[in-house]
Amino acid sequence: MISAALGLQVALDVLLVALVGLAVGSRWAEALSSGGLDAGAWGALACGLALLAVYGVGRSRINVRDTAVDAPRGAWWPTGAWVAALIVGWALLLLLTPVALWIAFPLMFLEMHVLGPRRGILAVAATTVCAIGGAILGGQQLVGSILGPTFGGLVAIAVVLGFEKIVRESQGRQELIDDLVRTRADLAASEREAAVATERERLAREIHDTLAQGFSSIELLLRAADASLEEVVAPGAFAPGAPGPTAARAARGYVTQSRLAAQQNLAEARRFVRDLAPADLESATLVGALERVADRTALAAGGGLTVTVEASGQARSLPVPVETALLRVAQSALANVVQHAGASRAAVTLSFLGDAVALDVVDDGRGFDPRRVAAARRSAAVPDPTRDARSAVGPEDGEPGAGAGEARAPRSGFGLTAMRSRVAELGGTFSLETSPGEGTALAVHLPLDPQEPR
């Protein structure tokens, strides 16, 4: 739009200079044809040069091209004075030569743009009156003298007003485009932030359900090995009938199990870094992966826990997100059984229900009070996964409610929150039934999309 305005301004400059030259040249030609230059010819030259000088000074002082169409225009100084001087100079030239009548048309366009739609129309009207008077004084026909300048003034008003309307609409569209671009940028930033937050939450769940649970198992095994070594280093541990040799073998077994758990954790970490897919699902079905988790859980419990895995319904492959969620929930639930339940038996049941799949994890442990879990979750504004690395739910040893034979009151942890979040993301339901001394039953129900490939 600026280029168009520049083109119009240059055309207006050229037109005005050409018409002034035409008016002065015609007056000189008339004088020369009459026998010589007279005072009128020299006066026309003086008026023409003065008009061009005033026009040039005004163009250098007043930024006509970049004046915004919505900006206040028509102030007396300097624009009003400049236009008045141009009209006076043109009127004097018109008195000396009727050809100067044509200069009125570029003046009308300039007046409308510089003075604005209100004062510009008044200036155009004054220019039209002067043009009509000059035409009549020049001996032209009355009708032509009136209609010509009048139509010229109306055309100038209509063209300038139409052009400025187009400019306003273009500016409005540009502002709308700028707003849309800013809105799109803000939306993209919000989506990026949401994606980052979602990915962080997902990574926290993955770390909690894999590496953190593995480290917790290693810690339990090493604690048991440490207790066995206390018996080994006790005085008389290797006397006949003393428990030293048995304790040494037990400690070695715990250390071996810890090393195996560390190797599995390392493999899980490498797999996690590579593509974040569960390593247990890489070369096995979901049922097989659950059996591996059950074996590791029984091993981490030191032989005091029996874990069984059963499947019902017609087994089939499930979408990867569903299999991953079920496996992670089972891992986290069994880790809770080892760390907090004090159970002797745990059962994992996978049920294929046609348009859905269900997972149940049941243990015969000490259980807990769900109301205390809910209260603890409300009191913890932001769960800390690193704080819960040793336990998904439940207090650490030495905390209140952790006495032997007593149902330890769980605190707000990341385990239950992560399980609920996984299930909710897939549109499923998560339920937990437990009470002190009655064991715990966890149930997950996930719907399957019939159109999703299996």
Side-chain angles (χ1 to χ4, degrees), residues 298-318:
L299 183 65
L305 175 65
T306 301
V307 183
T308 60
V309 177
E310 296 181 358
S312 63
Q314 184 178 359
R316 62 182 182 276
S317 61
L318 301 173

Side-chain angles (χ1 to χ4, degrees), residues 1-164:
M1 189 59 64
I2 293 178
S3 300
L6 176 61
L8 291 176
Q9 186 60 54
V10 171
L12 184 64
D13 295 341
V14 173
L15 179 62
L16 183 65
V17 172
L19 291 178
V20 170
L22 178 62
V24 174
S26 64
R27 183 64 181 83
W28 273 49
E30 180 182 355
L32 291 175
S33 63
S34 301
L37 297 176
D38 54 9
W42 290 107
L45 177 61
C47 290
L49 293 176
L51 180 61
L52 292 177
V54 172
Y55 182 77
V57 172
R59 286 283 282 109
S60 63
R61 300 293 182 88
I62 301 173
N63 192 357
V64 178
R65 174 170 59 88
D66 294 333
T67 302
V69 295
D70 293 328
R73 291 173 289 174
W76 165 247
W77 185 264
T79 54
W82 179 45
V83 171
L86 290 175
I87 294 175
V88 171
W90 164 73
L92 293 176
L93 183 60
L94 181 62
L95 293 175
L96 296 175
T97 172
V99 180
L101 177 65
W102 298 100
I103 302 176
F105 298 107
L107 280 181
M108 291 176 181
F109 284 98
L110 180 66
E111 292 162 357
M112 285 295 300
H113 181 61
V114 173
L115 300 179
R118 294 183 180 179
R119 293 182 177 88
I121 293 177
L122 296 178
V124 170
T127 303
T128 302
V129 172
C130 292
I132 293 173
I136 294 175
L137 292 177
Q140 299 184 15
Q141 294 181 356
L142 181 61
V143 176
S145 300
I146 297 176
L147 293 182
T150 302
F151 285 145
L154 294 176
V155 169
I157 293 173
V159 169
V160 174
L161 293 180
F163 179 77
E164 292 187 353

Side-chain angles (χ1 to χ4, degrees), residues 241-378:
T246 302
R249 287 191 297 271
R252 176 179 289 274
Y254 288 133
V255 171
T256 300
Q257 295 174 11
S258 299
R259 186 172 64 252
L260 293 176
Q263 291 174 353
Q264 293 170 353
N265 236 30
L266 180 59
E268 188 72 41
R270 289 171 176 170
R271 181 70 176 180
F272 178 80
V273 171
R274 186 164 60 248
D275 56 9
L276 301 180
D280 290 316
L281 291 174
E282 184 176 8
S283 58
T285 63
L286 177 59
V287 176
L290 291 174
E291 291 175 348
R292 291 184 183 180
V293 173
D295 293 340
R296 289 201 299 267
T297 301
L299 183 65
L305 175 65
T306 301
V307 183
T308 60
V309 177
E310 296 181 358
S312 63
Q314 184 178 359
R316 62 182 182 276
S317 61
L318 301 173
V320 174
V322 174
E323 289 188 343
T324 301
L326 293 175
L327 180 62
R328 295 309 190 204
V329 169
Q331 282 181 311
S332 185
L334 290 177
N336 290 344
V337 172
V338 173
Q339 297 169 19
H340 312 297
S344 60
R345 293 189 306 274
V348 179
T349 304
L350 182 65
S351 303
F352 296 93
L353 307 176
D355 60 347
V357 62
L359 176 72
D360 298 281
V361 181
V362 182
D363 68 73
D364 61 352
R366 58 173 58 94
F368 58 89
D369 187 353
R371 291 173 297 180
R372 298 184 64 181
V373 175
R377 185 179 299 108
R378 287 192 296 268

